[in-house]
Amino acid sequence: MSTFRTGRDGSLLIGGTTAVKVRDWSLETTVELLNVNTIDSFANEFTPGVKGATGSATLMYYKGGVDDKDFSHLLTTILKTGSITDSVTLTLKVDNDAAIKFSAFITSASISVNNNELVVVPFNFTVNGDFSEDPVFYV
Amino acid sequence: MTFFLGTKGNVRLRRGTNTAVGSISASIDPGDVNVDVNRFAFTGATDNLLTGDRIDIATSDSRGIDFVPASHWSTNTTEDDISAFVNVDQADGVRLYPTLADAINDTRANEIALEAFTGSALSVTITVRDLAFNVLGNVTRYEFQNTREQIETTVLSDKYKQQFSAGLLSGSGRIECAFDYTSSGSQETPKLLLQLIQRLDLGCAFDLALYLTDQSVDLNVENIFYMLTAVVTNAGVSVEAGEIINCSIDFVTTGKVRLVLDRPSRYLLKEDTDKIGVEHSVDFLLR
């Protein structure tokens, strides 16, 4: 259907399971541009280098049943003893037909606890490697 | 076309809405049960339970709800859950009743008897889970606004503002009624409006049915009502010499808001044309 999309259509999957209490997500993809100017150039010229992507999301700390694992799964990839080894597979959905799937390292996560505010777990991630083989699809 | 007066409307409410967050855990010691006055106590009762609440008490303890005699259940064995209406006093004391009116009016003749138990404390989960909508008494007026979130989609070269029409739905409103603290039947007392906001851990959400026209008031009109779950944001009372004491609540909605043109929720559809009346007691539950 030709229509706009809002956050109401979106979702976030962690390892294939839909996270239930997600407040927001965002993804920024960048590509390094290598300058190929020569001494006779009068305008910048570039060639594309390596691409990469970083992003963030905010989960709400929600205790009750199976939803517990949403944030705990993410937190334990960075908030743990020993070295960081595990990446997570994230799928960011704009709606059911538009999704971006990739492996990522959680680069930062925090729990903020304030009186009269919900406990939320904002975290940042960096995409590890390329997007999955058939990951970025917009139908 | 016909004009309708507010006298054909009604406000019905149901206590306890979200069982996922609407539960508290408690521990009941043998010493907390007073069989002389059929009353038990647990910490936090006055903070979370209101007189008239219909609660489920459940335990995973193998002894079951051991402070209620087995004769209370039709199986004549002590089960691991019980449903009842409660009367709560200021000392965290809780008395169980079979009906709302008995609980509100503390009709001691109808209280559910308790019995002493021994051993370790009984861990229980207490959930406020009323099944029926009750008419709120003494309502003088209510108002409700249904709001659609506004998201602008105007783009360059548009000559008129454009709006996305499927933003999030919400609502807010206000109920005002003359103060009363007694109940002769199944009506909720206006006092409840002042108490709802004070549930400490269980939260102050409740289900609300705002009737524009109510067939139980006038058989010639259809049932048309807003069905929603409300969260109290403000509760207040106005006491003035020479004036009726008025209380009011402001609320916002959480979750779905529907305008229903139908039967109320306490009706069961049957193949024949007669009705099954649902009595306001805890004994009609189908298991």
Side-chain angles (χ1 to χ4, degrees):
Chain A
M1 189 171 71
S2 301
T3 183
F4 294 98
R5 291 284 181 262
T6 65
R8 144 185 164 181
D9 304 299
S11 59
L12 185 151
L13 281 69
I14 304 166
T17 304
T18 302
V20 178
K21 303 297 179 187
V22 183
R23 178 173 278 173
D24 56 65
W25 65 255
S26 68
L27 179 74
E28 183 181 16
T29 311
T30 57
V31 59
E32 291 177 12
L33 292 179
L34 306 176
N35 195 304
V36 294
N37 289 347
T38 57
I39 52 175
D40 58 343
S41 296
F42 57 89
N44 279 328
E45 290 183 66
F46 300 95
T47 188
V50 178
K51 71 178 178 184
T54 59
S56 65
T58 305
L59 299 188
M60 295 154 86
Y61 196 105
Y62 181 75
K63 193 164 178 58
V66 294
D67 304 332
D68 294 4
K69 67 185 179 200
D70 288 348
F71 51 82
S72 63
H73 181 60
L74 283 174
L75 278 178
T76 51
T77 61
I78 184 170
L79 194 66
K80 59 181 287 193
T81 56
S83 58
I84 304 298
T85 54
D86 298 331
S87 61
V88 291
T89 301
L90 297 178
T91 307
L92 309 181
K93 285 192 166 184
V94 177
D95 63 17
N96 282 333
D97 299 323
I100 307 159
K101 187 177 180 182
F102 50 83
S103 170
F105 282 105
I106 307 301
T107 54
S108 71
S110 62
I111 307 175
S112 55
V113 182
N114 292 297
N115 209 356
N116 206 31
E117 286 183 19
L118 290 178
V119 177
V120 293
V121 185
F123 66 92
N124 295 296
F125 54 83
T126 298
V127 174
N128 179 32
D130 201 355
F131 295 111
S132 298
E133 188 176 342
D134 189 14
V136 187
F137 52 94
Y138 287 88
V139 178
Chain B
M1 296 289 285
T2 309
F3 295 103
F4 292 93
L5 297 178
T7 51
K8 299 187 192 309
N10 236 337
V11 173
R12 286 185 164 86
L13 59 85
R14 180 169 60 185
R15 311 175 186 210
T17 178
N18 188 347
T19 53
V21 295
S23 298
I24 51 172
S25 298
S27 181
I28 299 172
D29 284 310
D32 292 332
V33 178
N34 186 335
V35 295
D36 294 332
V37 289
N38 289 322
R39 193 175 63 194
F40 68 97
F42 64 90
T43 304
T46 50
D47 291 334
N48 292 289
L49 298 184
L50 305 176
T51 290
D53 283 347
R54 179 190 172 281
I55 64 169
D56 291 348
I57 308 174
T59 182
S60 55
D61 194 297
S62 59
R63 292 171 292 176
I65 307 295
D66 210 14
F67 55 89
V68 176
S71 57
H72 171 77
W73 289 275
S74 57
T75 56
N76 208 32
T77 56
T78 302
E79 298 190 2
D80 55 10
D81 58 38
I82 183 174
S83 294
F85 293 89
V86 294
N87 181 285
V88 189
D89 65 25
Q90 289 308 306
D92 278 337
V94 178
R95 213 173 258 137
L96 302 177
Y97 286 97
T99 67
L100 173 72
D102 287 341
I104 288 178
N105 297 319
D106 202 13
T107 312
R108 297 287 314 276
N110 297 335
E111 66 195 14
I112 295 174
L114 303 183
E115 68 177 7
F117 73 103
T118 56
S120 59
L122 202 61
S123 294
V124 296
T125 302
I126 297 170
T127 308
V128 176
R129 192 171 63 87
D130 206 346
L131 296 177
F133 279 83
N134 298 311
V135 173
L136 180 63
N138 289 1
V139 175
T140 53
R141 73 185 295 266
Y142 76 79
E143 61 184 56
F144 176 67
Q145 286 87 34
N146 210 352
T147 310
R148 176 73 86 158
E149 194 176 42
Q150 188 181 350
I151 304 172
E152 192 175 324
T153 59
T154 311
V155 296
L156 293 180
S157 81
D158 275 348
K159 292 183 174 56
Y160 300 95
K161 271 194 175 181
Q162 303 290 326
Q163 305 287 349
F164 181 59
S165 63
L168 295 180
L169 266 175
S170 63
S172 62
R174 179 181 176 85
I175 300 172
E176 295 176 11
C177 52
F179 178 74
D180 190 7
Y181 55 85
T182 60
S183 175
S184 57
S186 61
Q187 281 200 343
E188 288 285 6
T189 63
K191 181 183 69 169
L192 178 67
L193 293 187
L194 305 177
Q195 292 177 305
L196 279 170
I197 200 170
Q198 296 185 339
R199 279 194 211 276
L200 208 57
D201 305 307
L202 289 177
C204 53
F206 63 102
D207 292 332
L208 193 56
L210 299 170
Y211 280 73
L212 284 67
T213 53
D214 187 351
Q215 212 168 60
S216 70
V217 176
D218 184 344
L219 286 173
N220 298 314
V221 299
E222 294 291 326
N223 284 311
I224 301 176
F225 57 101
Y226 279 101
M227 179 75 90
L228 53 100
T229 300
V231 174
V232 184
T233 56
N234 260 315
V237 63
S238 155
V239 183
E240 198 174 338
E243 298 287 342
I244 291 172
I245 297 177
N246 273 304
C247 47
S248 63
I249 61 162
D250 296 323
F251 61 89
V252 294
T253 63
T254 176
K256 189 184 289 186
V257 180
R258 290 186 301 132
L259 179 62
V260 183
L261 288 75
D262 204 351
R263 297 282 185 190
S265 62
R266 288 176 66 193
Y267 277 81
L268 294 175
L269 291 177
K270 295 179 66 198
E271 287 189 342
D272 46 19
T273 55
D274 60 337
K275 301 175 201 166
I276 298 175
V278 179
E279 294 180 10
H280 197 117
S281 82
V282 294
D283 299 326
F284 67 87
L285 295 176
L286 302 174
R287 295 184 178 230

